Every structure is written in C-alpha cells, then in structure tokens.
Amino acid sequence: MARSLAAQAMPFQQHGTRVSVRQPTRIELEGSPHPIVLRYRTQRLLLARIHQLQVCVTVTGETGPSEPCTMELSHRGKENGPNWTCRGGGTAVNGPTGVAIEALARTVDLVSCTADWSPATGQWHFCIEPYAGSHLRVYFPPITYTTSLDPREAGVISGALAELSTMLPGRKDKRTTHLESAGGTV
C-alpha cells in the first residue's frame, strides 16, 4: 500500500505541495495553514478490498458545539450549490461556504466530505474522500486497479481544506452560522 499511497501524493507534489512525513500507512504534506494527511480507509469485502483515499486536516484549539457534531457536504446541482447536513440528526445547517468549497463540490467527484467536531479533544477534523485516488484489489479473479487524482483536483482539494480550516468558530471575520444552528457558541 505504501507505493500506491506515494503515487497518490504525486498530484499534490505537482501542484506545489511538499511531503514532510512519509510513513507506510500515511503521508503528511505541508499544507497552508495546517498539514494535510493522506491515508487509506479500507473497505473489506468477501473477495476484495477497496482502499479509498482520505485527504484530511485536523485543527485544534478552536471552539465548537457542546455536543459532538458531524457535518457532511452534499451537492445537488449547479444552481443550488453545496449544502451541509448533520449526519445522524438529518437537520440542514448553514455550513461553511466559500469559493474553494464551491469549486470542490462542482469539480471533484466526491465519496464524502465531512467536518467532525470532538468537544473532548477540542479538534475539528476535516476529511475529503474523492472517487479518484482509490485502490481496488480483487482476489478472485486476481485484479488490481488504481486510480489517481489529477493535479488540478489535488489543488482544488488543498484549497478547500485550507478554506475549511479558516472558517471555524471563534473567528468573528468568518462565517460561523453553521455552529450557531448546531447549538454551538460563537
């Protein structure tokens, strides 16, 4: 898996991001303003494994809702733009929106884009899973198939993660209405 994960870091490197930490199960890239972590989420099937690329950023020291919260980005057409929904509760919230987030929803095919808040650790965890970047291994018949991101998609994902990490609660100059609707304090 290390070789496949290293290949997934190449589009980010072509976009101008440098690798700071290289381990067998994760690669850390120098991101702005926070480091970006590449890793695989493995889905085990009877005779196959699907390794889905996760591009993640963890931001600490910010405030958030008093309860744990998971928001998921969904995109329903060009005219509506991206929407954030609370996973589990199903209520619609006004999540962070911006140019890079709208470009992400418009141009990159996503499995998921989530924002998780953990009040116990005081951390926001942003995770983007693009369809491109997956590694499929079928045992019978033996097939191995890998898709990779385009450098433009890697740039859009990096920009969206940077924008998400700056649109957190506690910053009066950024939009924080998504937390107010989820019961958080600003």
Side-chain angles (χ1 to χ4, degrees):
M1 287 301 2
R3 187 178 325 154
S4 178
L5 191 57
Q8 299 302 338
M10 290 302 296
F12 290 93
Q13 291 174 318
Q14 291 172 355
H15 186 261
T17 308
R18 294 181 348 155
V19 173
S20 59
V21 176
R22 189 179 303 261
Q23 297 175 345
T25 58
R26 67 189 285 269
I27 292 178
E28 191 171 308
L29 305 170
E30 291 179 357
S32 174
H34 302 283
I36 298 171
V37 175
L38 303 179
R39 65 177 182 228
Y40 279 123
R41 176 181 56 86
T42 302
Q43 180 181 359
R44 290 175 173 80
L45 305 172
L46 180 62
L47 293 174
R49 301 288 183 266
I50 299 173
H51 305 281
Q52 183 62 51
L53 178 67
Q54 291 184 324
V55 185
C56 304
V57 168
T58 301
V59 181
T60 59
E62 300 290 337
T63 59
S66 57
E67 301 284 324
C69 175
T70 299
M71 297 185 300
E72 188 166 12
L73 180 70
S74 63
H75 186 356
R76 307 219 193 296
K78 292 180 181 177
E79 62 278 348
N80 294 337
N83 299 335
W84 289 91
T85 56
C86 281
R87 199 185 277 173
T91 58
V93 295
N94 291 331
T97 57
V99 176
I101 297 169
E102 290 177 10
L104 174 73
R106 225 180 27 254
T107 60
V108 179
D109 290 329
L110 298 174
V111 173
S112 70
C113 175
T114 58
D116 296 315
W117 165 249
S118 172
T121 60
Q123 293 181 334
W124 279 98
H125 182 74
F126 301 104
C127 187
I128 296 174
E129 291 186 14
Y131 276 111
S134 59
H135 177 78
L136 174 67
R137 172 107 192 253
V138 178
Y139 297 109
F140 186 78
I143 299 170
T144 300
Y145 186 74
T146 302
T147 61
S148 61
L149 288 169
D150 184 78
R152 291 172 300 179
E153 291 176 324
V156 170
I157 290 171
S158 296
L161 285 172
E163 190 172 82
L164 280 169
S165 65
T166 60
M167 294 185 155
L168 293 173
R171 299 181 185 196
K172 300 296 182 185
D173 59 333
K174 304 294 179 189
R175 295 181 219 175
T176 57
T177 58
H178 64 287
L179 293 170
E180 294 169 343
S181 66
T185 58
V186 179

